[in-house]
């Protein structure tokens, strides 16, 4: 090797190991640094990227996250506090998932290091399970699927929240799907944040008295019973005759006892426990099996909540109070016109008239 090649590295070494008064001046790089896959920190250069970084900690359930800032456009420490408040209190996910959030900002040689500490009130599984839906109509579809499978919770980020009553959606599904919804659960609805824009997270919790496995078994039993009733009357020629034979069929199955349960259709068709709701929902299910036009009417009788049906029988709409007939021991099923419904009150505009 030549002499010059030997002397070059020795000269460089001498410069690096010189006297204590010598130093190396380092100028911070002005371009933002992008974290690579193996780095355990994020970077930010302005308010939006700082907010995005903090929000990503929430999305990933990170209890302590690090952000490096090499060149920031704005007042970093002041805006950091604004970001912490916005993400933890005003952002839908932060409002839903975060109990508290704090931050520390330190200068380290050539960059700021921000440490964000987050105390969560939701598990990583709960955060990951938040569904994204575009509208309340899509949320209704998700809610109905959840209730149809007897699920105990639904959490969704709605892009356009219009304040619609979610508990009323659940009630409507139960009311309109007697063959599917065996029990009306308790419904608790929470909106995050409580006040805000169109984008919100809606959490719906369902509380059932029975397990999902039990309710699925009840649904199968109700379907089997309704199918049996349909087959029993299928050979009668008129709808009036079919209804009368159906009444005889039900009379022969049980000596019905009045009682209230949380699974009214199952209790009526499979246990002989009768309520006006259970009788009306059961008749609705059977009429649907028979392809007979039927409506379940919610109203009052003698001032007390009562449920019955309006059925189109051979082209004529009639009131049918199956509960009243069975509990009173009537020999046949009476079909009432509007004028004969003494003591009954209902929304006459919501149902067909029975003149």
């Amino acid at each position: 090797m030549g002499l010059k090649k030997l002397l070059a590295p020795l000269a460089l070494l001498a410069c690096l190991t010189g006297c204590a008064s010598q130093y190396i001046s380092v100028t911070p790089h002005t371009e933002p640094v992008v974290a690579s896959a193996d780095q355990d920190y994020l970077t930010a250069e302005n308010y939006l990227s700082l907010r995005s970084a903090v929000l990503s900690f929430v999305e990933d359930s990170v209890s302590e996250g690090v952000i490096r800032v090499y060149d920031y456009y704005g007042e970093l420490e002041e805006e950091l506090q604004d970001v912490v408040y916005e993400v933890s209190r005003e952002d839908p996910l932060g409002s839903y998932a975060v109990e508290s959030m704090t931050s520390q900002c330190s200068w380290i040689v050539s960059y700021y290091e921000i440490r964000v500490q987050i105390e969560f009130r939701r598990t990583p599984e709960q955060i990951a399970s938040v569904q994204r839906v575009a509208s309340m109509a899509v949320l209704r579809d998700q809610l109905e699927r959840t209730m149809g499978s007897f699920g105990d919770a639904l959490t969704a980020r709605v892009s356009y929240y219009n304040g619609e009553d979610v508990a009323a959606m659940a009630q409507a599904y139960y009311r309109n799907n007697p063959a599917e919804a065996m029990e009306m659960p308790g419904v608790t609805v929470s909106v995050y944040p409580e006040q805000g824009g169109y984008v919100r997270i809606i959490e719906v919790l369902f509380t059932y008295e029975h397990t999902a496995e039990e309710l699925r078994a009840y649904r199968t039993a109700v379907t089997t019973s309704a199918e049996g009733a349909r087959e029993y009357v299928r050979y009668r020629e008129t709808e009036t005759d079919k209804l009368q034979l159906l009444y005889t069929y039900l009379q022969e199955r049980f000596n019905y006892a009045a009682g209230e349960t949380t699974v009214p259709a199952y209790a009526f068709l499979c246990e002989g426990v009768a309520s006006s709701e259970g009788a009306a929902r059961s008749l609705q299910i059977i009429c649907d099996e028979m392809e007979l036009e039927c409506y379940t009417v919610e109203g009052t009788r003698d001032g007390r909540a009562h449920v019955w049906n309006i059925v189109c029988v051979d082209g004529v709409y009639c009131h049918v109070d199956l509960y009243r007939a069975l509990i009173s021991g009537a020999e046949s099923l009476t079909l009432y016109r509007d004028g004969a419904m003494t003591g009954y009150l209902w929304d006459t505009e919501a149902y067909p008239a029975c003149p």
Side-chain angles (χ1 to χ4, degrees):
M1 180 182 295
L3 182 58
K4 290 184 178 180
K5 291 183 177 181
L6 288 172
L7 291 176
L10 293 175
L12 176 61
L13 180 62
C15 290
L16 295 176
T17 59
C19 65
S21 62
Q22 293 177 320
Y23 63 93
I24 299 175
S25 175
V26 179
T27 302
H29 189 57
T30 57
E31 294 297 324
V33 178
V34 179
S36 62
D38 59 346
Q39 290 175 335
D40 58 356
Y41 61 85
L42 301 177
T43 62
E45 62 179 11
N46 54 35
Y47 187 94
L48 290 179
S49 60
L50 181 60
R51 181 186 183 281
S52 178
V54 174
L55 184 58
S56 72
F57 295 149
V58 178
E59 293 170 342
D60 297 335
S61 302
V62 175
S63 297
E64 182 170 347
V66 177
I67 304 169
R68 289 187 181 181
V69 178
Y70 291 86
D71 194 5
Y72 191 81
Y73 301 96
E75 298 296 329
L76 177 59
E77 295 188 12
E78 179 179 337
E79 293 185 0
L80 174 60
Q81 298 306 311
D82 293 340
V83 164
V84 167
Y85 180 84
E86 181 181 344
V87 170
S88 63
R89 294 292 178 263
E90 298 179 346
D91 180 84
L93 184 61
S95 177
Y96 165 74
V98 173
E99 182 67 32
S100 64
M101 181 185 296
T102 59
S103 64
Q104 295 177 330
C105 183
S106 305
W107 173 255
I108 300 180
V109 183
S110 61
Y111 59 86
Y112 284 100
E113 180 176 272
I114 298 171
R115 290 190 174 272
V116 180
Q117 294 82 29
I118 305 174
E119 181 182 350
F120 289 93
R121 53 194 176 97
R122 307 291 179 181
T123 65
E125 291 76 19
Q126 288 175 313
I127 294 173
S129 69
V130 176
Q131 304 177 36
R132 290 180 176 267
V133 301
S135 65
M136 295 299 287
V138 180
L139 177 70
R140 182 185 293 105
D141 293 339
Q142 295 295 94
L143 180 143
E144 291 180 355
R145 278 193 284 271
T146 301
M147 292 185 68
S149 63
F150 308 112
D152 59 4
L154 168 65
T155 308
R157 180 187 179 98
V158 183
S159 298
Y160 190 83
Y161 173 70
N162 60 8
E164 190 172 350
D165 190 339
V166 178
M169 290 183 189
Q171 183 68 49
Y173 174 78
Y174 172 78
R175 182 185 303 115
N176 297 330
N177 296 272
E180 297 294 323
M182 292 292 100
E183 177 183 343
M184 180 59 210
V187 180
T188 304
V189 180
S190 302
V191 180
Y192 302 92
E194 291 184 6
Q195 304 293 328
Y198 290 121
V199 180
R200 306 282 190 91
I201 283 181
I202 299 179
E203 179 188 51
V204 190
L205 303 179
F206 303 99
T207 306
Y208 290 94
E209 181 178 299
H210 300 85
T211 67
E213 183 178 3
E214 289 172 333
L215 292 171
R216 283 191 288 268
Y218 295 164
R219 182 163 60 193
T220 299
V222 165
T223 299
T224 300
S225 181
E227 290 172 348
R230 178 198 64 202
E231 291 301 309
Y232 190 83
V233 304
R234 65 180 299 186
Y235 295 109
R236 291 298 175 96
E237 292 184 1
T238 69
E239 292 170 346
T240 300
D241 288 344
K242 287 181 179 182
L243 270 184
Q244 292 299 342
L245 185 58
L246 173 62
Y247 182 70
T248 300
Y249 170 78
L250 293 172
Q251 279 183 310
E252 292 174 350
R253 282 176 59 83
F254 298 105
N255 291 321
Y256 289 88
E260 298 290 336
T261 74
T262 57
V263 285
Y266 172 78
F268 181 85
L269 287 173
C270 303
E271 295 181 332
V273 178
S275 63
S276 68
E277 180 186 358
R281 287 176 71 83
S282 297
L283 183 57
Q284 181 75 62
I285 294 168
I286 296 170
C287 285
D288 290 344
E289 285 285 340
M290 296 165 57
E291 298 183 351
L292 189 61
E293 186 180 355
C294 178
Y295 303 86
T296 299
V297 183
E298 296 181 359
T300 63
R301 180 188 175 203
D302 297 331
R304 303 181 66 177
H306 197 75
V307 188
W308 66 97
N309 302 94
I310 291 177
V311 185
C312 185
V313 185
D314 297 320
V316 179
Y317 290 104
C318 303
H319 294 270
V320 179
D321 192 340
L322 181 59
Y323 171 81
R324 175 181 174 182
L326 286 171
I327 294 301
S328 67
E331 293 184 2
S332 62
L333 187 62
T334 302
L335 308 181
Y336 298 94
R337 302 299 176 88
D338 286 343
M341 295 294 285
T342 305
Y344 291 80
L345 291 176
W346 68 98
D347 183 355
T348 57
E349 296 184 357
Y351 305 99
C354 305

